Amino acid sequence: MQAFRFHQGSQPLLISMPHVGTYVPPALAARLTDSAQQVPDTDWHLERLYDFAKALGASLLIATHSRYVIDLNRDPSGASLYPGQSVTGLCPVDDFDNLPLYRDPQDVPSEAEIAERRDNLWQPYHQQLQAELARLKSVHGKAVLWDAHSIRSVLPRFFEGKLPDLNLGSGNGTSCDPAMAATLLAIAESAPGHTAVLNGRFKGGYITRQYGQPAQNIHAIQLEMTQCSYMQEALPFDYLPEVAARIQPHLQRMVEAALAFAQQGAR
């Protein structure tokens, strides 16, 4: 199976969804625990939540494989994005609850297997991402990359208490124009019944930090949403239309604001 699905849009906005994939090759799935085979740490239903994006003219890059196969939002060298804090790796061996993914410790991926997954899955995704950003900048003079994520709202391994609902990350101000980030935060903070933060616990992963180059007219922002804002956070991980309807209009306003910034053209 190809590493991604891609839709080319007409506007200077690319939405990346690196953690929505659920496919695990059968031979690998057989090595995983029963719990891991349910791929619970997936960014579930983001395509549905962002179903307005194509009509806005956005390009979409959507991962097909589970992050348990390879995490497309990690440094390919395996270097930690948050030194000193608990993180999962390029080819994870444990889940968000710190439980082992593999039935037998001897089944964890070798360096050779990690390299193969990186070459066959990580590299193609990032090549497509880079190519589309380059195309958008060439056509429009400017491009915005929106990296879309979601996560359980309570995960003691990674943060204390309940996470804010809308977590914007700009690499501490390095990946996009501060004015764009401020506009997005203002919209997020205006969503009734929801909380928001900029560069809190989640400041942007590898994709945001690597490809956001404001001086080159490529601006990247990550949004990490709590899953309780639109879905069940436990099995069967169902989408909840009535709950999602309360946040989706505000999400669309944020994406539209990012697009409007991109449409201003190069400065």
Side-chain angles (χ1 to χ4, degrees):
M1 178 182 291
Q2 192 174 6
F4 59 84
R5 290 182 289 107
F6 176 66
H7 166 78
Q8 186 174 96
S10 58
Q11 298 298 322
L13 174 66
L14 170 60
I15 298 177
S16 163
M17 298 183 183
H19 291 155
V20 298
T22 57
Y23 179 70
V24 179
L28 174 57
R31 295 155 55 189
L32 301 181
T33 65
D34 291 345
S35 173
Q37 289 179 22
Q38 303 296 318
V39 293
D41 299 329
T42 301
D43 292 6
W44 301 98
H45 308 298
L46 286 187
E47 286 185 81
R48 183 170 179 180
L49 193 65
Y50 283 81
D51 63 7
F52 54 82
K54 286 185 180 179
L56 296 179
S59 296
L60 296 169
L61 182 60
I62 300 164
T64 56
H65 287 62
S66 169
R67 67 189 303 160
Y68 291 171
V69 182
I70 193 162
D71 193 325
L72 299 170
N73 199 30
R74 294 293 182 270
D75 190 307
S77 72
S80 175
L81 295 169
Y82 294 95
Q85 300 185 49
S86 183
V87 294
T88 52
L90 180 67
C91 291
V93 297
D94 46 27
D95 67 11
F96 286 179
D97 293 315
N98 224 6
L99 299 174
L101 296 181
Y102 291 85
R103 296 179 184 274
D104 189 327
Q106 295 183 348
D107 280 339
V108 302
S110 65
E111 288 301 317
E113 184 178 359
I114 291 172
E116 181 180 13
R117 296 186 199 178
R118 185 168 54 231
D119 291 346
N120 293 335
L121 298 170
W122 191 99
Q123 197 65 38
Y125 189 93
H126 284 262
Q127 287 173 342
Q128 182 64 49
L129 195 158
Q130 293 175 61
E132 181 61 6
L133 287 177
R135 186 190 73 84
L136 293 177
K137 180 182 173 183
S138 174
V139 172
H140 302 282
K142 190 175 181 180
V144 168
L145 169 62
W146 181 287
D147 208 41
H149 297 263
S150 71
I151 194 169
R152 277 181 280 160
S153 59
V154 178
L155 275 172
R157 175 178 179 179
F158 301 128
F159 47 82
E160 295 182 1
K162 182 180 181 295
L163 190 70
D165 295 307
L166 300 167
N167 299 268
L168 289 159
S170 66
N172 279 335
T174 63
S175 71
C176 72
D177 188 309
M180 185 184 90
T183 297
L184 298 177
L185 179 62
I187 296 170
E189 289 177 333
S190 73
H194 295 80
T195 52
V197 68
L198 173 64
N199 292 316
R201 172 59 181 85
F202 295 97
K203 305 178 190 303
Y206 178 84
I207 289 173
T208 304
R209 302 186 205 184
Q210 177 70 14
Y211 298 110
Q213 301 175 19
Q216 304 300 319
N217 288 309
I218 298 177
H219 301 261
I221 192 83
Q222 175 179 296
L223 177 64
E224 186 88 61
M225 293 183 60
T226 54
Q227 292 179 338
C228 64
S229 299
Y230 70 95
M231 60 168 278
Q232 292 179 340
E233 292 196 339
L235 281 169
F237 305 117
D238 285 344
Y239 189 84
L240 300 176
E242 298 84 2
V243 176
R246 294 197 286 269
I247 192 60
Q248 193 180 40
H250 303 282
L251 176 63
Q252 182 168 345
R253 284 180 58 208
M254 294 170 70
V255 174
E256 288 173 343
L259 175 57
F261 175 82
Q263 289 170 333
Q264 292 173 9
R267 296 182 182 179

